[in-house]
Amino acid sequence: MRPFIHDTVVRSTSGRPELRHVTQVHEWRIERTLDAGGLVLSIIAPGGESQSFLVAPGDAQDIGEVLRRSAAWTDRREQ
């Protein structure tokens, strides 16, 4: 198993490889705000540290679409 915090190389939005210091996701939650102005995405690390982000509805749709495309790309690569 990988350590909770590690370095990994990603292909950045510029297309160049870049080193990132990352933490694994242990748990995540998506909750609606009471005023219906967006969603709150909470991410919890294995050590219990958490961070919450206010996400606008349009951004939430964009994130979902990118995750769907990435999952489909990964599935095709593994076949």
Side-chain angles (χ1 to χ4, degrees):
M1 179 176 199
R2 286 182 147 174
F4 297 149
I5 299 172
H6 60 275
D7 292 330
T8 190
V9 177
V10 299
R11 184 163 311 281
S12 71
T13 56
S14 69
R16 293 187 308 267
E18 290 185 13
L19 184 65
R20 295 274 195 272
H21 189 68
V22 299
T23 302
Q24 289 181 325
V25 173
H26 174 69
E27 179 183 338
W28 57 271
R29 289 189 298 267
I30 297 175
E31 302 161 304
R32 293 194 181 277
T33 59
L34 293 179
D35 64 4
L39 302 169
V40 173
L41 168 61
S42 299
I43 298 175
I44 299 97
E49 304 87 8
S50 67
Q51 181 76 43
S52 296
F53 303 90
L54 179 61
V55 182
D59 289 332
Q61 289 178 336
D62 291 345
I63 290 168
E65 181 61 27
V66 169
L67 289 172
R68 277 189 293 280
R69 288 181 186 179
S70 295
W73 180 81
T74 301
D75 287 346
R76 284 194 304 271
R77 246 181 99 190
E78 290 177 354
Q79 292 178 357

